[in-house]
Amino acid sequence: MRSLRGDLMKWLLGALGFGSLVLVMVAYVVTLGEMNEVLDENLKEVAEAVAQYHASAQVSAKPTPTKSGEKSDDDGDLVSLVWQRDGTPIFSSNPRFALRFTDVPGPGRFEVAGEEWRTYTVVLSDTVVQAAQRTTARHQMAVESASKLFIPLVALILLLAGLIVVALRRGMRPWNEATGQIARRSAISLEPIASENMPREMQPLVGAFNELMQRLSNAFSMQRRFVADAAHELRRLG
């Protein structure tokens, strides 16, 4: 047997769960967009700082690169590179990643081994400096940021579920009262249900029931009159 309270609970909790998922997805998209803006600006600052450092001749023309088996501090999430204008590599903060040479200044994107990188390039008179970061790193950071909403949302859903249960119990009280009044009615007790304190949503149902009680009362009255008249005629004829 279906339960109105159960149906309402399923729909309300389903709506809350769906809304929470949408909120997490929106938080992820918004966080990723803001993160891209901030980190793109960070790439620009890194590239310009490396370019300024190189141009000021505070580093040698060919600094010692990181060994191919060595892991850099940023683990490849942020890489800075320096090339000569003809594309000859001079320096890489993490030579494990063979990034594409480009002499087009400004922001850019390209793929290396199936991974997308976002870059910022600074072109000097004799060198090209580039700062690059994997896009997956940004997605991971956005996921971590959005996932922090998960536990508060679960707690909120549980809290709202408890409030919904209490609200449904209070909201179903008029139905229980009406059910009790109907159960007390009989063929000799056809009084209408008091509808003054009933919720507006229950007024049509209570009104229909009271009309039924009135029709039954009229029918019983007619039946009693008919029986009385018939008995009177029988006595008269006898």
Side-chain angles (χ1 to χ4, degrees), residues 65-79 92-97 134:
T66 307
K67 295 180 181 179
S68 58
E70 185 179 346
K71 199 173 184 180
S72 65
D73 293 336
D74 56 24
D75 196 24
D77 289 339
L78 183 62
V79 181
S92 173
S93 63
N94 195 331
R96 294 187 299 118
F97 299 98
R134 287 185 295 187

Side-chain angles (χ1 to χ4, degrees), residues 187 190 211-227:
L190 299 177
E211 290 178 4
L212 175 61
M213 293 295 100
Q214 184 62 45
R215 289 196 296 269
L216 287 174
S217 179
N218 294 337
F220 286 140
S221 296
M222 292 177 63
Q223 184 183 32
R224 285 193 294 269
R225 284 196 300 269
F226 174 79
V227 171

Side-chain angles (χ1 to χ4, degrees), residues 28 31-36 38-40 42-43 73-79 96-97 110 112 114-119 132-147:
Y28 166 78
T31 301
L32 182 60
E34 294 180 351
M35 194 171 294
N36 280 332
V38 173
L39 294 179
D40 283 344
N42 184 53
L43 283 180
D73 293 336
D74 56 24
D75 196 24
D77 289 339
L78 183 62
V79 181
R96 294 187 299 118
F97 299 98
F110 58 82
V112 176
E115 282 191 308
E116 186 183 57
W117 289 74
R118 297 172 76 104
T119 65
Q133 185 179 41
R134 287 185 295 187
T135 304
T136 54
R138 301 184 177 193
H139 287 288
Q140 291 171 358
M141 287 186 286
V143 168
E144 291 175 0
S145 178
S147 63

Side-chain angles (χ1 to χ4, degrees), residues 167-182:
L168 285 177
R169 287 179 178 175
R170 293 178 63 87
M172 295 295 288
R173 284 180 182 175
W175 291 93
N176 297 331
E177 293 176 2
T179 301
Q181 293 189 50
I182 292 172

Side-chain angles (χ1 to χ4, degrees), residues 2-227:
R2 290 182 57 189
S3 167
L4 178 60
R5 182 181 301 174
D7 288 343
L8 288 173
M9 282 291 294
K10 286 188 289 186
W11 277 101
L12 290 173
L13 292 179
L16 285 173
F18 178 75
S20 299
L21 290 177
V22 172
L23 180 60
V24 171
M25 293 176 63
V26 170
Y28 166 78
V29 173
V30 172
T31 301
L32 182 60
E34 294 180 351
M35 194 171 294
N36 280 332
E37 293 181 6
V38 173
L39 294 179
D40 283 344
E41 183 65 25
N42 184 53
L43 283 180
K44 178 181 178 181
E45 293 175 356
V46 170
E48 290 177 346
V50 173
Q52 183 179 4
Y53 186 60
H54 182 79
S56 63
Q58 295 181 23
V59 296
S60 61
K62 294 183 179 181
T64 302
T66 307
K67 295 180 181 179
S68 58
E70 185 179 346
K71 199 173 184 180
S72 65
D73 293 336
D74 56 24
D75 196 24
D77 289 339
L78 183 62
V79 181
S80 57
L81 310 100
V82 181
W83 288 282
Q84 294 180 359
R85 290 298 298 269
D86 60 1
T88 303
I90 298 176
F91 171 76
S92 173
S93 63
N94 195 331
R96 294 187 299 118
F97 299 98
L99 302 183
R100 183 186 309 170
F101 170 76
T102 178
D103 57 357
V104 178
R109 295 185 186 183
F110 58 82
E111 286 191 2
V112 176
E115 282 191 308
E116 186 183 57
W117 289 74
R118 297 172 76 104
T119 65
Y120 193 90
T121 304
V122 176
V123 180
L124 302 175
S125 59
D126 58 343
T127 56
V128 175
V129 178
Q130 185 181 74
Q133 185 179 41
R134 287 185 295 187
T135 304
T136 54
R138 301 184 177 193
H139 287 288
Q140 291 171 358
M141 287 186 286
V143 168
E144 291 175 0
S145 178
S147 63
K148 292 179 180 178
L149 293 173
F150 183 75
I151 294 179
L153 284 175
V154 170
L156 178 61
I157 290 176
L158 294 177
L159 175 62
L160 291 177
L163 293 176
I164 289 172
V165 170
V166 173
L168 285 177
R169 287 179 178 175
R170 293 178 63 87
M172 295 295 288
R173 284 180 182 175
W175 291 93
N176 297 331
E177 293 176 2
T179 301
Q181 293 189 50
I182 292 172
R184 290 191 292 270
R185 296 299 184 267
S186 65
I188 59 175
S189 177
L190 299 177
E191 294 86 0
I193 297 176
S195 59
E196 291 79 8
N197 298 324
M198 292 292 176
R200 182 176 55 189
E201 291 78 9
M202 290 185 61
Q203 294 292 338
L205 178 62
V206 172
F209 179 81
N210 288 339
E211 290 178 4
L212 175 61
M213 293 295 100
Q214 184 62 45
R215 289 196 296 269
L216 287 174
S217 179
N218 294 337
F220 286 140
S221 296
M222 292 177 63
Q223 184 183 32
R224 285 193 294 269
R225 284 196 300 269
F226 174 79
V227 171

Side-chain angles (χ1 to χ4, degrees), residues 230-238:
H232 176 71
E233 288 296 324
L234 288 174
R235 285 194 300 270
R236 189 175 63 83
L237 293 174

